[in-house]
Amino acid sequence: MKKRFLVYLSLFAIIFACSDDFTDVPAIGALSDQTLQNEQGVNLLLTGAYSVLDGIRNNQPGADWTVSGDNWWFDVLTDDAHKGSTDGDQADLYLLEIYDWTSGNPYLAVWDGRFAGVNRSNAVISLINKIPEGDFTAQLAEARFLRAHFNFELQKMFGNVPFISVENYDATEFNQPNSGPIWDQIEADFQFAIDNLPTSQADVGRPTSWAAKAYLGKAHMFQSEYAAAAALFTDVINNGPYSLLPEFVDNFRLAGDNSSESIFAIQFTTDGGQSLNGNRGGTLNFPNPGPFGSCCGFYQPTIDLSNAFKTDGTGLPLLDTFNDSDIANDYGVESADPFVPEAGPLDPRIDYTVGRRGIDYNGYGTHIGKDWIRASFADISGPYLPKKNVYYAGEGANIGTGGWGQQHSGINYHIIRYADVLLMAAEAAVETNDLATALGYVNQVRNRAKNSSYVQNESGTGDAANYQIEPYASFPDQDFARKAVRFERRLELAMEGHRFFDLTRWGVAESVLNEYTQNEARAIPNFGTKVGTFMSNMNILPIPINAIDLSGGVLTQNPGY
């Protein structure tokens, strides 16, 4: 499907006539519905809907990284990541990191990017409804799955969003009120996909009925409907085609693309040109200068996140005390000065997630510290580099370069992977007081991490750090199990764009993030003097002021903004 996308891209660009502002009259150079009323037309429009999974659309007004489909900058709102680079670079994202949020921030362009996906999905549905002959059930199911995905993204980000139905689309009635959640419509679309998608697809990247079940389960989780979620996850786990990869790190390498662990992913790909189908939204998030002279030093893991990987000497996490002290780090230490990495026990996933001085950096050699970090000691971003989003040395198929030399990675982004499903199923089991089932699911994830290969030292003669990880022997009570499952989600899924939405749906974002800012200031003093307070209204983003203005007042602002 990656190759097929490349063939179709120029064709559907003609169809949409370089705009996602749909009107009754086809624009000059566009194809009319009548011309498209056939299988090829449906497939071209459907490819157009897939193409905005990365958030990027024709003639978008803002920068690619503001609308990125991998939701990387939402981690910057949490205890997992700093913005990175210097404080003044991407000042609008800096304001989001320090909790100075306004409805005019350009990063709220995610609203436009996701609604472009809704509109393109509706375009497919509308076209199919106008074709008198032929069976387009499969394409309709894919379009409704995609519409559900885009609406799910909007729902979890903004809380109160309008639902644009295909009838609204046909009548060009896009100014719909955002009077509340749209979970019912999201669920209906996923259920249609469950009922009408096949269990497998010839083209990688297309959703299956199993993917729809997993996603519907996730929608129930966001509404605390745990029994309904558990039933769907149990079906996916017991009867679906998925399994954990033997190697944790392969989820972020070529080996993990469309593997047994991949349930639904954005299909990024590179080429010998500007790799426009690479991850353009993540282009800032490579070391600068780093080991290969990349750009631009953003998306740096926090010290808080690195502390979370400490273990207690028996291989279990320090659920309550992980942040009582910091692991050895080189903040404030120049590369020319001596430094000894942490000697205490650590979960091995740390060094596939956090780029630390003295540890191999994705096959490019030992991380040398400050000389690979763009941020100065006067900035708030700390000493670490990201790893999951950075391609490995020698994996040329994932290495893409844009027009000004920026990185366009070909690493697929997992919207849902099997480990995520196992941990959501564990969470649902905890909330329905089935602790034995929850324990089993969590230990599947932990045992995979335990049995994976570990990062090696520079000489290749042993482990790069004191890695210790073991499964839990038991969950003694529901409170302990809940804490363990939530902590495991952080360890397994860190730097994958999930943390903000986990914290907000659990209702703990305000307490967790305000405690984080105090702890992070212990290691990075000027972080504490610059960061503000995370307020309860920040569980959802403000509606963009330009969207409210363009709606003529039909849209209303979220409370507190």
Side-chain angles (χ1 to χ4, degrees), residues 60-80:
Q60 65 179 30
D64 293 346
W65 45 83
T66 64
V67 296
S68 187
D70 60 8
N71 290 336
W72 71 269
W73 63 258
F74 281 89
D75 283 337
V76 174
L77 313 182
T78 77
D79 48 357
D80 270 9

Side-chain angles (χ1 to χ4, degrees), residues 97-285:
E97 180 179 3
I98 64 171
Y99 305 133
D100 183 1
W101 296 7
T102 65
S103 60
N105 193 297
Y107 277 78
L108 299 182
V110 290
W111 171 280
D112 302 312
R114 302 311 187 262
F115 268 116
V118 172
N119 277 346
R120 290 191 182 190
S121 301
N122 275 331
V124 179
I125 298 167
S126 175
L127 178 62
I128 290 172
N129 289 343
K130 295 172 184 175
I131 302 176
E133 298 179 353
D135 183 6
F136 296 96
T137 305
Q139 292 97 323
L140 180 60
E142 289 184 45
R144 291 191 64 173
F145 178 98
L146 291 174
R147 184 172 68 175
H149 162 73
F150 292 120
N151 276 321
F152 179 90
E153 289 277 286
L154 288 160
Q155 177 63 57
K156 72 180 184 181
M157 293 174 183
F158 294 96
N160 299 295
V161 294
F163 179 75
I164 311 298
S165 68
V166 70
E167 292 79 16
N168 298 142
Y169 173 87
D170 285 337
T172 63
E173 296 173 347
F174 299 112
N175 279 348
Q176 299 299 314
N178 60 327
S179 52
I182 57 171
W183 288 118
D184 288 348
Q185 295 91 331
I186 292 169
E187 290 178 15
D189 275 350
F190 279 135
Q191 187 61 56
F192 185 89
I194 290 170
D195 294 339
N196 293 281
L197 284 174
T199 57
S200 62
Q201 293 275 17
D203 290 330
V204 297
R206 296 189 190 275
T208 66
S209 59
W210 293 114
K213 286 180 181 180
Y215 220 148
L216 179 57
K218 187 171 185 176
H220 285 304
M221 292 297 289
F222 271 71
Q223 301 169 81
S224 301
E225 296 171 352
Y226 299 114
L232 288 159
F233 293 143
T234 298
D235 189 15
V236 172
I237 292 167
N238 291 345
N239 303 308
Y242 308 111
S243 62
L244 295 174
L245 290 170
E247 297 287 345
F248 169 75
V249 70
D250 281 350
N251 284 292
F252 321 107
R253 303 189 65 170
L254 282 172
D257 278 4
N258 306 304
S259 68
S260 65
E261 192 162 345
S262 180
I263 294 179
F264 188 61
I266 302 176
Q267 301 291 309
F268 290 120
T269 189
T270 62
D271 55 52
Q274 295 187 22
S275 295
L276 297 179
N277 293 301
N279 187 354
R280 292 160 55 190
T283 197
L284 300 178
N285 304 332

Side-chain angles (χ1 to χ4, degrees), residues 75 89 132 137 152 248 279 368 467 516 533 541 543 546:
D75 283 337
D89 195 355
T137 305
F152 179 90
F248 169 75
N279 187 354
I368 64 173
Y467 301 126
Y516 147 69
T533 301
L541 298 178
I543 307 298
N546 65 320

Side-chain angles (χ1 to χ4, degrees), residues 1-8 269:
M1 190 173 183
K2 287 187 176 185
K3 292 182 179 178
R4 196 168 299 180
F5 272 154
L6 296 175
V7 174
Y8 285 162
T269 189

Side-chain angles (χ1 to χ4, degrees), residues 39 341 391 475 547 553:
E39 184 174 9
Y391 37 67
F475 285 164

Side-chain angles (χ1 to χ4, degrees), residues 166-476:
V166 70
E167 292 79 16
N168 298 142
Y169 173 87
D170 285 337
T172 63
E173 296 173 347
F174 299 112
N175 279 348
Q176 299 299 314
N178 60 327
S179 52
I182 57 171
W183 288 118
D184 288 348
Q185 295 91 331
I186 292 169
E187 290 178 15
D189 275 350
F190 279 135
Q191 187 61 56
F192 185 89
I194 290 170
D195 294 339
N196 293 281
L197 284 174
T199 57
S200 62
Q201 293 275 17
D203 290 330
V204 297
R206 296 189 190 275
T208 66
S209 59
W210 293 114
K213 286 180 181 180
Y215 220 148
L216 179 57
K218 187 171 185 176
H220 285 304
M221 292 297 289
F222 271 71
Q223 301 169 81
S224 301
E225 296 171 352
Y226 299 114
L232 288 159
F233 293 143
T234 298
D235 189 15
V236 172
I237 292 167
N238 291 345
N239 303 308
Y242 308 111
S243 62
L244 295 174
L245 290 170
E247 297 287 345
F248 169 75
V249 70
D250 281 350
N251 284 292
F252 321 107
R253 303 189 65 170
L254 282 172
D257 278 4
N258 306 304
S259 68
S260 65
E261 192 162 345
S262 180
I263 294 179
F264 188 61
I266 302 176
Q267 301 291 309
F268 290 120
T269 189
T270 62
D271 55 52
Q274 295 187 22
S275 295
L276 297 179
N277 293 301
N279 187 354
R280 292 160 55 190
T283 197
L284 300 178
N285 304 332
F286 288 76
N288 179 243
F292 50 94
S294 51
C295 186
C296 297
F298 282 71
Y299 200 28
Q300 292 182 239
T302 63
I303 289 172
D304 187 294
L305 176 60
S306 69
N307 291 340
F309 288 96
K310 290 190 290 188
T311 60
D312 64 2
T314 68
L316 294 179
L318 302 174
L319 300 180
D320 296 310
T321 60
F322 75 96
N323 233 343
D324 286 356
S325 62
D326 300 326
I327 70 168
N329 67 78
D330 62 322
Y331 177 75
V333 180
E334 297 288 354
S335 290
D337 296 329
F339 171 75
V340 178
E342 174 67 27
L346 297 170
D347 186 311
R349 288 172 289 188
I350 186 174
D351 288 323
Y352 290 122
T353 306
V354 179
R356 302 190 295 139
R357 180 175 174 178
I359 309 294
D360 179 77
Y361 190 75
N362 289 9
Y364 292 100
T366 300
H367 185 342
I368 64 173
K370 178 64 184 72
D371 287 349
W372 282 4
I373 305 293
R374 185 177 184 184
S376 73
F377 297 141
D379 298 309
I380 66 174
S381 291
Y384 296 132
L385 291 175
K387 297 191 83 170
K388 287 182 175 179
N389 63 294
V390 176
Y391 37 67
Y392 274 69
E395 293 197 346
N398 275 338
I399 300 174
T401 305
W404 47 272
Q406 74 274 36
Q407 281 61 52
H408 287 167
S409 170
I411 302 171
N412 281 3
Y413 171 68
H414 300 287
I415 294 171
I416 303 180
R417 60 183 176 94
Y418 187 57
D420 184 8
V421 167
L422 285 172
L423 293 174
M424 286 191 290
E427 182 182 339
V430 168
E431 300 304 334
T432 55
N433 212 26
D434 183 1
L435 303 191
T437 296
L439 177 67
Y441 290 151
V442 169
N443 280 344
Q444 283 189 50
V445 174
R446 291 187 65 78
N447 279 324
R448 189 268 295 276
K450 174 184 176 180
N451 296 321
S452 290
S453 301
Y454 298 165
V455 175
Q456 296 295 287
N457 59 26
E458 191 169 16
S459 64
T461 58
D463 297 340
N466 180 13
Y467 301 126
Q468 296 184 28
I469 181 172
E470 294 293 340
Y472 288 95
S474 66
F475 285 164

